[in-house]
Amino acid sequence: QVQLVESGGGLVQAGGSLTLSCAFSGRTFSSYTMGWFRRAPEKEREFVADIRWSGGPTYYVDSVKGRFTISRDNAKNTVYLQMNSLKPEDTAVYYCAADRGYSSDSYYSPSKYDYWGQGTQVTVSS
């Protein structure tokens, strides 16, 4: 069974940076596409970014392009989300997700992903 554990969330001022990490265990990490989603208060879960098993291509929601970078280290079974120039509207619980590749759903759809972490809170103050 796949387990995902996020870390790195916290409180940061607008304009600051954070790096989220997601540790993967239980299966062969390099076989999975990995994604990051977020859920802001009273909003639906939103796709943020994803990365293929090989490290590319990567996809981002328009609101984070140029500010966030997703990466992975297959030797460490870890996926990262580097977040720069943070804005108050980035405040949310951030979730890591793993996709086995069996679903034909779109990469930005939560239903495409098979496993989820418990989430880590990111709060950006103005």
Side-chain angles (χ1 to χ4, degrees):
Q1 183 73 7
V2 169
Q3 289 189 325
L4 303 173
V5 179
E6 302 98 334
S7 61
L11 173 64
V12 63
Q13 289 188 334
S17 298
L18 282 174
T19 299
L20 305 183
S21 300
C22 173
F24 175 107
S25 63
R27 290 290 186 273
T28 304
F29 178 62
S30 59
S31 297
Y32 288 75
T33 289
M34 300 299 297
W36 286 97
F37 286 74
R38 65 187 180 186
R39 176 175 282 161
E42 300 182 358
K43 292 189 177 180
E44 294 188 354
R45 186 167 38 184
E46 173 189 42
F47 171 82
V48 176
D50 83 340
I51 186 168
R52 299 299 181 268
W53 66 271
S54 60
T58 56
Y59 297 95
Y60 298 90
V61 67
D62 285 346
S63 61
V64 309
K65 285 180 180 177
R67 301 188 298 122
F68 290 12
T69 302
I70 188 171
S71 62
R72 66 189 294 159
D73 186 336
N74 286 345
K76 295 183 177 180
N77 290 355
T78 302
V79 62
Y80 305 95
L81 185 68
Q82 173 68 44
M83 305 185 295
N84 298 326
S85 302
L86 283 161
K87 304 176 181 180
E89 51 263 43
D90 294 318
T91 294
V93 177
Y94 283 72
Y95 297 91
C96 172
D99 165 30
R100 296 178 296 176
Y102 295 165
S103 171
S104 60
D105 291 345
S106 298
Y107 63 86
Y108 51 81
S109 173
S111 61
K112 182 172 179 60
Y113 295 82
D114 304 288
Y115 302 101
W116 293 84
Q118 81 289 349
T120 186
Q121 176 71 47
V122 172
T123 303
V124 185
S125 63
S126 57

